[in-house]
Amino acid sequence: MNKIDRRAFLKLTGSTLIGVTLGGIALRVNAQEKITLDDPTAVALKYVHQSAVDGEYCKNCAYIQGEEQAQWPPCSLFAGKLVAAEGWCSAWIKKG
């Protein structure tokens, strides 16, 4: 087994922590594009910009991330895309 000195360990640990932190920020920043109705995932999940189901909206779904007041919040089902707060898809689950 190789010996790792204290200095090398601290450099490795510090670099990893910075990488993980900046990576998480980059993922949130990349969710800037609004989803289109012809997106393959949107088609598969029957996504629409305006819900026809009373009380079921993207804004009150468990998969929505970010601020509750956002008109186009990111959704964990649509990687890197923003969905309409008033939208809906077949994977909707009430936020608990």
Side-chain angles (χ1 to χ4, degrees):
M1 191 162 154
N2 292 341
K3 282 185 128 184
I4 298 177
D5 65 354
R6 182 177 172 206
R7 180 174 285 158
F9 174 77
L10 290 174
K11 283 182 182 178
L12 180 63
T13 305
S15 311
T16 303
L17 182 61
I18 290 170
V20 169
T21 303
L22 293 178
I25 292 170
L27 287 174
R28 279 178 270 156
V29 170
N30 286 334
Q32 298 295 324
E33 185 179 331
K34 293 178 181 177
I35 193 151
T36 59
L37 297 177
D38 62 348
D39 181 272
T41 308
V43 172
L45 293 175
K46 301 175 183 160
Y47 171 81
V48 292
H49 292 310
Q50 185 64 47
S51 177
V53 183
D54 191 36
E56 294 185 10
Y57 303 98
C58 290
K59 65 184 176 187
N60 64 4
C61 177
Y63 294 113
I64 288 298
Q65 303 167 338
E67 298 176 17
E68 290 185 25
Q69 286 75 14
Q71 291 297 326
W72 289 88
C75 176
S76 61
L77 297 176
F78 303 100
K81 304 286 174 84
L82 302 173
V83 296
E86 299 293 321
W88 179 88
C89 81
S90 62
W92 183 89
I93 297 174
K94 185 174 182 172
K95 190 182 289 188

